[in-house]
Amino acid sequence: MSQPSQMGFQDATSPLMEELLHFHDHALMIVFLISTLVLYIIVAMVSTELTNKLILDSQEIEVIWTVLPALILILIALPSLKILYLMDEINDPHLTIKTVGHQWYWSYEYTDYEELGFDSYMIPTNDLTPGQFRLLEADHRMVIPVESPIRILVTAEDVLHSWTVPTLGVKMDAVPGRLNQVAFVASRVGIFYGQCSEICGANHSFMPVVVEAVPLEHFEYWTSAMLEDI
């Protein structure tokens, strides 16, 4: 018996991920209709209903199977281009966080706060507490305010990494010597997990990403406590 999150996508946590899920369902329905039509034609031809030479060689049929695929591609391309532009759009972010990939951990720098930064290592299996997820928990989570535009600046210190959080619809490569950026808005409070999605070495699967979205007042309390500890 399947459990939640074992089949299909995780629940969307950002407007961008909601758009991606809608596009997935849209494209999947088109694929289903195409497969049904092709299967019907094959079955009809096997039963000799479409083997008439006048039908197979007609100009009308050739026009249909030329124009129809073009229309289908347009139906897929238009929403896809819309999402691509939405993913690149960054308007007035409330918070900017620089994320640096290392072998094999992440470090975070809150550029809007002086000297606020930390490293995030995976918690070993033997140190996990009940309720924590194996290979997904980190000793320091990236805390963000909910319903606020967040900009992530992604880079790497050594090799290629990829900062990925599926439920937020975010996946950005971390390239040494290059600064990439991505933006998102967490639409609900929660803890969201991801992993490095680039094969970056022997411990590639042991550098999780943990994002904790909290209300703004809790985020301000957290930043104050972190700055006092520095």
Side-chain angles (χ1 to χ4, degrees):
M1 181 179 296
S2 63
Q3 300 295 326
S5 301
Q6 284 188 329
M7 298 182 63
F9 292 98
Q10 299 179 25
D11 294 336
T13 307
S14 67
L16 178 60
M17 189 58 188
E18 291 178 2
E19 291 289 336
L20 291 171
L21 291 179
H22 292 158
F23 175 70
H24 168 267
D25 297 339
H26 169 74
L28 196 62
M29 180 55 66
I30 292 177
V31 171
F32 172 75
L33 294 175
I34 294 174
S35 303
T36 303
L37 177 61
V38 172
L39 180 61
Y40 168 76
I41 294 176
I42 292 176
V43 172
M45 291 184 66
V46 170
S47 62
T48 69
E49 293 181 9
L50 289 181
T51 55
N52 189 302
K53 183 177 180 180
L54 296 177
I55 295 178
L56 293 179
D57 294 340
S58 67
Q59 186 175 358
E60 292 79 6
I61 293 295
E62 294 181 2
V63 172
I64 291 175
W65 69 43
T66 301
V67 174
L68 188 60
L71 295 176
I72 292 174
L73 290 177
I74 292 174
L75 290 175
I76 296 176
L78 291 180
S80 175
L81 291 174
K82 172 189 172 183
I83 295 176
L84 285 176
Y85 279 106
L86 288 175
M87 294 175 71
D88 288 336
E89 188 174 0
I90 300 177
N91 293 324
D92 190 24
H94 295 175
L95 181 66
T96 300
I97 304 174
K98 182 180 179 182
T99 302
V100 183
H102 309 267
Q103 287 184 317
W104 286 271
Y105 64 95
W106 297 99
S107 62
Y108 301 102
E109 301 174 12
Y110 288 70
T111 59
D112 299 290
Y113 298 85
E114 187 176 358
E115 297 183 355
L116 178 53
F118 52 85
D119 297 330
S120 180
Y121 292 88
M122 186 194 73
I123 299 178
T125 302
N126 295 334
D127 297 335
L128 292 175
T129 60
Q132 291 185 326
F133 296 103
R134 178 178 174 269
L135 302 183
L136 288 177
E137 293 289 350
D139 57 355
H140 291 92
R141 297 169 176 170
M142 190 185 83
V143 181
I144 60 171
V146 71
E147 297 181 349
S148 296
I150 308 297
R151 176 173 59 184
I152 305 295
L153 304 177
V154 185
T155 187
E157 186 183 57
D158 34 48
V159 299
L160 292 175
H161 300 279
S162 185
W163 197 82
T164 306
V165 184
T167 188
L168 291 171
V170 176
K171 183 179 186 296
M172 180 56 66
D173 288 342
V175 183
R178 181 173 179 178
L179 201 62
N180 295 326
Q181 65 177 353
V182 64
F184 62 87
V185 177
S187 56
R188 60 185 173 89
V189 173
I191 302 173
F192 316 117
Y193 298 91
Q195 288 178 308
C196 176
S197 297
E198 192 72 51
I199 301 178
C200 57
N203 294 328
H204 148 70
S205 58
F206 302 107
M207 48 186 303
V209 178
V210 185
V211 178
E212 184 175 359
V214 298
L216 181 59
E217 56 271 17
H218 292 179
F219 174 76
E220 293 175 345
Y221 175 79
W222 175 82
T223 55
S224 299
M226 291 291 292
L227 291 172
E228 290 177 357
D229 293 338
I230 295 176

